[in-house]
Amino acid sequence: MKTSELKYIIKEALEAKPMEMKEPYNEIGEIILVMKPTRERSMEDMIRPVSIYDNIDVNEIVAAYEGKNKSAARKAAKEAMKAYEVQKEALKNEMEEYRAAKKAIEEKKTKAKELINKLR
């Protein structure tokens, strides 16, 4: 390729009009995701509208619905929130039982030490 041809190609490339940026076409439409409940998330935060171009963490999703089906998404969020509350309450009860058992073991341990000291 001659330098004159190369200069012509470069000149054409520099004078060419830039292409317009177009919004990508989304055939699916809006999707409503119901995210897993956490301590920081309220019921409204759990329901999140997304498109196919958003970053989505699959491990955080409870359910997915079409954009029109908000009532089903709210219902799924409410059920997930109830299950989360039940799980949290069960964990709280287990921790109370653990603390009570730990306290009982400490008391038995101190009684055993006292009996051993009396026997000496």
Side-chain angles (χ1 to χ4, degrees):
M1 180 178 277
K2 295 181 182 179
T3 56
S4 60
E5 290 176 354
L6 187 59
K7 286 180 184 179
Y8 178 75
I9 292 172
I10 293 173
K11 184 179 177 183
E12 268 188 3
L14 291 174
E15 292 175 355
K17 291 183 181 178
M19 292 177 43
E20 288 184 28
M21 291 295 292
K22 292 185 177 181
E23 189 69 29
Y25 182 66
N26 184 354
E27 291 182 20
I28 296 175
E30 189 177 74
I31 302 168
I32 297 177
L33 294 181
V34 179
M35 308 306 285
K36 286 184 180 178
T38 61
R39 194 180 281 181
E40 297 86 28
R41 284 191 188 137
S42 67
M43 185 92 147
E44 292 78 31
D45 295 338
M46 288 174 58
I47 300 170
R48 193 172 92 181
V50 295
S51 72
I52 58 172
Y53 302 106
D54 293 336
N55 277 340
I56 300 169
D57 184 10
V58 178
N59 297 325
E60 290 294 314
I61 298 173
V62 173
Y65 297 94
E66 280 186 75
K68 303 170 192 170
N69 207 351
K70 288 186 179 182
S71 61
R74 282 191 196 100
K75 185 177 179 182
K78 190 180 287 187
E79 289 173 3
M81 188 63 90
K82 283 181 186 177
Y84 176 72
E85 292 297 326
V86 166
Q87 187 180 19
K88 201 164 83 171
E89 190 64 33
L91 180 64
K92 184 178 175 182
N93 291 339
E94 288 176 14
M95 287 303 296
E96 287 175 7
E97 289 175 13
Y98 171 77
R99 288 184 189 110
K102 189 175 178 182
K103 187 176 179 182
I105 290 171
E106 268 311 305
E107 289 173 359
K108 287 180 182 179
K109 195 176 183 182
T110 55
K111 283 183 184 179
K113 283 184 181 179
E114 288 174 5
L115 288 174
I116 290 171
N117 287 338
K118 284 183 183 178
L119 293 173
R120 287 186 183 176

